[in-house]
Amino acid sequence: MWRLIARKDVEDSVRERQLHVGVGLFAVVGLVAGYIYASSYDPAYADRPELQFLGVLVGAALFLAPITGIMLAQGRIVDKRNRGELVVLLGMPFSRRDVVLGSVAGRFAVTAAVVACLFAFATGVAALMVAPIPLLRVLAFLVVFAAFAGVFVAIGVAISAAVSGTTRAAVLAVGVYLFFVFRVHDIAWKLFVNGVYGTRNAPEALLPVAAQLGPFTALRNVVVGVYPEIAGAFGYFGGAPPTEVTALAQPAVGFVVLLAWASAPLYAGLQRFEGADL
Amino acid sequence: MPAIELRDVTKRFGTVTALDGLDLDVREGEVFGFLGPNGAGKSTTIDVLLDYVRPTSGTARVFGHDAQAEPTAVRERVGILPDGYGALGRMTGREQLEFTIEARRGREGPQALLDRVGLAGDGDRQVRTYSKGMAQRLMLGMALVGDPDLLILDEPTTGLDPAGARMMREIVDDAVSDGVTVFFSSHILGQVEAVADRVGILYGGDLVAVDAIDALRETAGATGGVTVTVDALPDALVNAVAAIDGVTDVTVDRDDQGRPLVDASCTPAAKGRVVKACYDDGADVRDVDTREASLEELFVSYTNGDPDAADALAGSDASERDGTAVAASRGGER
C-alpha cells in the first residue's frame, strides 16, 4: 500500500507544480555550472579537466541536494495532518507506516529527479561547448548525490512525522541542515575534549571523532576513500581532513554513518507518529 | 459478533477527559444514532474506532478487530465520513474517487459515484475549491467505495442543503437494505429520529442512555400528546380523559377565540381514545392537534434538564431493554 502513497506523492508534486519549479531552478544551476566549467576549461593548460567538471558538480550538489531533500520532505506529513488530508488517507486501508514510507519513497523520487536535472543540464551545456566529460563518473556521482539527498529526505520525513505544527517542522528542518553544515556537533565535541584534557593536552586522535559522524563528512569519507582525487571538491562542507586517519574516517564507517542517518531518525519519527493523536 | 464494541474506553487530552469509561455495542445491520451536544465526545469515539487517536485506556473493536492493533483491518471494512477532513492535495473530485477506488480495491466507476452523490458536473474541479456541502457529498461517495460493511458518518448532514440531506438519507437507507451497519453522530435530533434504529445519548464522555427512540421517550416520560378544541367544556370531561389508559397529564386552556382547549399528554395509542372521550362526554370537537415528543425534549430530560433521569438511566442496564426495543422500532418505522 505504501507504493500507492508514494505514487500519489510524486503526482502531487506534479499537480502542485513543485516539480516544475524544482526542475527549473536546478536546470539553471546546472546550466551555470556547465558553462563555468566549459568556459574556463583550457585544453592547453588545465590539468585533468574531468576532475574540474566533477569538482563543479560536487560543489553545487553538496550544497543543494541535501537542502532540497530535507525541505521537500519536512512538510509532507505535518501539512496533511493540519489540512485534514491525513484523516482521509487513514480512513482508507493505509497504515501510518504506509504513509511515512510512501512519503519517503515519493519525496526521494522527486528529489532524485531534481538532482538529476542539475547533472543533466550541466553535462549538456559542457558537451555543447565541446569540453571533455567523464560520463561514467558523472553518472556515478549522480547516484551518490541522489542517495545523499535521500538521507536528508528520510530526516525531513522523520521531522514531518514527529511534530504537529508546520512552522515547527520547517524551523527544525532548516535547523538540522545548518547544524550539519556548521558541524555544531564537531564544535561541541572539541570544546568538550579540550575542556576535559586542557587545550594543550587534548589527544590528537580524539578531537576529530565527532566530525566523522556528521553526514557531510561521512559522505566525503566514503567518496574520497574510493576516489581520492576529488577530496578538494568537498571544501568546507567536508570538514578538515583528519590529520591522521582514524578508524572512523574509513569509507566503510562513513557508509554506516550515512545508513544510520537515513534510518534512525526515520524510525524515531515513525514511532512518535504511530503513537500520536491526529 | 457486534459491528462495534467499546469497552471501558477512556480518552484524556491533557487535563480534559473526552471519554470517560465508555461502553457501547452496535449490532451488525442496525442504524445507530450517536447523539450528544458539542464536546460530548462523539468525534473522539469515532477517532478511536478509526485509530486517529489512541485511547488512554480501554479497548475498541470493529468486527472483532482491535482498532489500535489492526487499524488497516478495520479500515478495510469501514467507510468513513470523518470530521475535519481536507482535500487530497490538489486532486479533482474524480481523481480523489479514483484514488479511493484503487486504495479500497473497489469496483465502482468514479462517474457513477459522482452521479449518486449529486456531483455529476463537478468531477473535474479541484476538491479544495468545493463548497462545504459539495465536499461533504464527495466524502460520502468516497465512504461508499468498496462496499464497506460499516458506514461511520460523523455529523453527515453538516453543510448539506435539504436536497443533500435527503440524498444522505436515501443512501443510508440503501446501505441498510444491503445489510450495511450504519453508525452516525449528530446533534440534529430530527435526522437521528428519521433513520436510527437505536440511539445512544452521549454526555460528558459517557453514555447516559442507549435504546430505541420510542423506548427512550417512554422512559424519559416525554410521550407527546393531543390537543382537542371543543366548543364547551363538560364538567366530567377532564376527569374522564385523565382516567384513560396511557394519559399522563391533562390541562385545560383557552384558544384566542375563548374556546376550551383540552391538552392531554399521552402515548400515541391513547390519542384516539382522548378524542372519543370528548365526544362521549357531549363536547362538540372543533379541532384536533396531535404532537410527538421531540427528541429535543427527550435530550434535555436525559442531560442537563433532568439530571435525576440521566443518573437513573446511567445506573440502569440499558442493554436489557435493547432487544425488544430494536425489534419494535424496526417493525414500526420501516
Side-chain angles (χ1 to χ4, degrees), chain A residues 16-274:
Chain A
E16 286 162 24
R17 308 248 176 270
Q18 216 172 32
L19 196 60
H20 304 62
V21 173
V23 164
L25 278 174
F26 276 68
V28 171
V29 175
L31 290 174
V32 172
Y35 180 79
I36 288 173
Y37 160 64
S39 59
S40 66
Y41 160 69
D42 183 341
Y45 299 104
D47 186 29
R48 312 215 44 196
E50 303 91 349
L51 201 59
Q52 191 190 345
F53 183 51
L54 291 173
V56 171
L57 283 181
V58 168
L62 200 54
F63 164 61
L64 288 171
I67 187 79
T68 306
I70 200 167
M71 290 318 283
L72 279 177
Q74 54 81 21
R76 217 47 207 168
I77 291 171
V78 73
D79 275 355
K80 288 192 175 82
R81 189 160 162 178
N82 280 280
R83 286 188 292 105
E85 186 172 341
L86 207 49
V87 165
V88 178
L89 287 176
L90 292 181
M92 300 176 198
F94 296 115
S95 65
R96 296 187 189 207
R97 181 202 295 253
D98 290 332
V99 171
V100 170
L101 296 185
S103 299
V104 172
R107 291 291 97 177
F108 174 68
V110 172
T111 309
V114 169
V115 173
C117 218
L118 168 71
F119 278 65
F121 275 86
T123 308
V125 168
L128 281 177
M129 294 169 75
V130 288
I133 294 160
L135 198 57
L136 280 178
R137 283 187 180 154
V138 169
L139 285 175
F141 270 102
L142 171 58
V143 172
V144 166
F145 277 100
F148 188 54
V151 172
F152 281 82
V153 165
I155 294 172
V157 171
I159 290 171
S160 204
V163 304
S164 56
T166 49
T167 312
R168 195 175 295 184
V171 169
L172 213 56
V174 173
V176 166
Y177 177 73
L178 293 179
F179 181 95
F180 287 144
V181 168
F182 292 119
R183 289 191 293 279
V184 178
H185 54 292
D186 183 35
I187 296 169
W189 170 253
K190 282 179 177 155
L191 282 174
F192 174 73
V193 172
N194 283 329
V196 171
Y197 291 96
T199 323
R200 290 185 187 171
N201 303 325
E204 285 293 313
L206 218 51
L207 283 171
V209 164
Q212 314 310 315
L213 301 179
F216 285 102
T217 307
L219 179 74
R220 183 206 59 196
N221 290 343
V222 171
V223 172
V224 172
V226 179
Y227 185 35
E229 292 92 329
I230 201 73
F234 280 85
Y236 171 77
F237 278 89
T243 44
E244 63 190 66
V245 174
T246 65
L248 290 174
Q250 287 173 27
V253 176
F255 189 73
V256 171
V257 168
L258 288 173
L259 271 188
W261 280 116
S263 54
L266 191 62
Y267 179 77
L270 180 62
Q271 288 305 108
R272 207 175 138 86
F273 186 54
E274 291 271 11

Side-chain angles (χ1 to χ4, degrees), chain B residues 80-120:
Chain B
I80 169 85
L81 196 169
D83 179 41
Y85 55 81
L88 295 184
R90 300 198 181 191
M91 285 188 181
T92 63
R94 187 186 311 280
E95 284 168 338
Q96 241 178 255
L97 281 168
E98 282 165 355
F99 181 80
T100 311
I101 290 165
E102 195 170 350
R104 300 187 65 92
R105 291 187 279 273
R107 289 188 301 273
E108 298 85 347
Q111 189 58 47
L113 283 165
L114 286 168
D115 292 345
R116 186 157 181 215
V117 296
L119 291 173

Side-chain angles (χ1 to χ4, degrees), chain B residues 139-161:
Chain B
M139 283 307 299
L140 180 66
M142 287 163 67
L144 296 173
V145 168
D147 296 324
D149 299 314
L150 168 64
L151 279 176
I152 296 182
L153 312 173
D154 197 347
E155 301 275 358
T157 50
T158 308
L160 290 180
D161 52 21

Side-chain angles (χ1 to χ4, degrees), chain B residues 86 107 128 150 169 190 200 211 252 263 273 298 317 333:
Chain B
R107 289 188 301 273
R128 59 195 196 116
L150 168 64
R169 213 172 128 180
D211 216 328
V252 177
D263 184 273
R273 293 198 288 272
L298 178 72
D317 184 5
E333 291 194 2

Side-chain angles (χ1 to χ4, degrees), chain B:
Chain B
M1 185 198 305
I4 293 174
E5 200 181 347
L6 294 170
R7 288 287 169 270
D8 200 21
V9 172
T10 296
K11 176 64 189 175
R12 290 190 199 93
F13 295 101
T15 56
V16 178
T17 303
L19 295 176
D20 189 7
L22 177 65
D23 286 299
L24 177 68
D25 282 295
V26 175
R27 287 181 222 102
E28 276 192 61
E30 76 173 325
V31 180
F32 192 96
F34 204 40
L35 200 58
N38 296 332
K42 303 187 296 290
S43 290
T44 304
T45 306
I46 289 174
D47 288 350
V48 167
L49 291 173
L50 267 298
D51 193 35
Y52 297 155
V53 306
R54 300 279 155 102
T56 310
S57 65
T59 57
R61 292 180 169 276
V62 177
F63 295 115
H65 298 291
D66 187 285
Q68 273 61 53
E70 312 166 77
T72 52
V74 171
R75 291 167 191 156
E76 299 247 357
R77 298 190 65 181
V78 172
I80 169 85
L81 196 169
D83 179 41
Y85 55 81
L88 295 184
R90 300 198 181 191
M91 285 188 181
T92 63
R94 187 186 311 280
E95 284 168 338
Q96 241 178 255
L97 281 168
E98 282 165 355
F99 181 80
T100 311
I101 290 165
E102 195 170 350
R104 300 187 65 92
R105 291 187 279 273
R107 289 188 301 273
E108 298 85 347
Q111 189 58 47
L113 283 165
L114 286 168
D115 292 345
R116 186 157 181 215
V117 296
L119 291 173
D122 299 300
D124 296 319
R125 269 175 62 188
Q126 280 190 16
V127 176
R128 59 195 196 116
T129 69
Y130 278 12
S131 70
K132 170 76 184 156
M134 290 166 72
Q136 192 81 353
R137 285 164 182 262
L138 182 69
M139 283 307 299
L140 180 66
M142 287 163 67
L144 296 173
V145 168
D147 296 324
D149 299 314
L150 168 64
L151 279 176
I152 296 182
L153 312 173
D154 197 347
E155 301 275 358
T157 50
T158 308
L160 290 180
D161 52 21
R166 191 168 62 241
M167 172 215 71
M168 177 74 65
R169 213 172 128 180
E170 284 165 7
I171 284 178
V172 168
D173 283 344
D174 285 352
V176 171
S177 54
D178 290 343
V180 176
T181 310
V182 179
F183 180 83
F184 75 102
S185 74
S186 183
H187 64 276
I188 301 171
L189 312 157
Q191 280 152 7
V192 178
E193 191 164 22
V195 294
D197 296 323
R198 281 200 306 155
V199 175
I201 296 179
L202 193 66
Y203 188 70
D206 199 7
L207 275 180
V208 292
V210 188
D211 216 328
I213 291 170
D214 293 346
L216 284 180
R217 277 210 189 89
E218 245 167 75
T219 316
T223 53
V226 59
T227 306
V228 184
T229 311
V230 290
D231 57 357
L233 190 67
D235 293 340
L237 181 61
V238 171
N239 287 336
V241 171
I244 294 169
D245 194 21
V247 173
T248 53
D249 189 26
V250 183
T251 57
V252 177
D253 203 356
R254 292 198 176 265
D255 68 2
D256 43 17
Q257 294 164 37
R259 295 180 301 194
L261 294 171
V262 179
D263 184 273
S265 295
C266 60
T267 60
K271 288 173 184 171
R273 293 198 288 272
V274 171
V275 178
K276 184 168 180 293
C278 293
Y279 272 114
D280 291 350
D281 275 35
D284 209 353
V285 175
R286 295 295 177 195
D287 197 4
V288 176
D289 196 10
T290 78
R291 62 172 191 280
E292 259 191 271
S294 75
L295 213 43
E296 189 114 34
E297 294 170 52
L298 178 72
F299 190 57
V300 169
S301 81
Y302 270 112
T303 52
N304 49 9
D306 183 357
D308 293 341
D311 287 348
L313 256 125
S316 77
D317 184 5
S319 64
E320 274 176 26
R321 293 190 308 272
D322 290 350
T324 51
V326 168
S329 85
R330 274 201 170 278
E333 291 194 2
R334 274 174 204 291

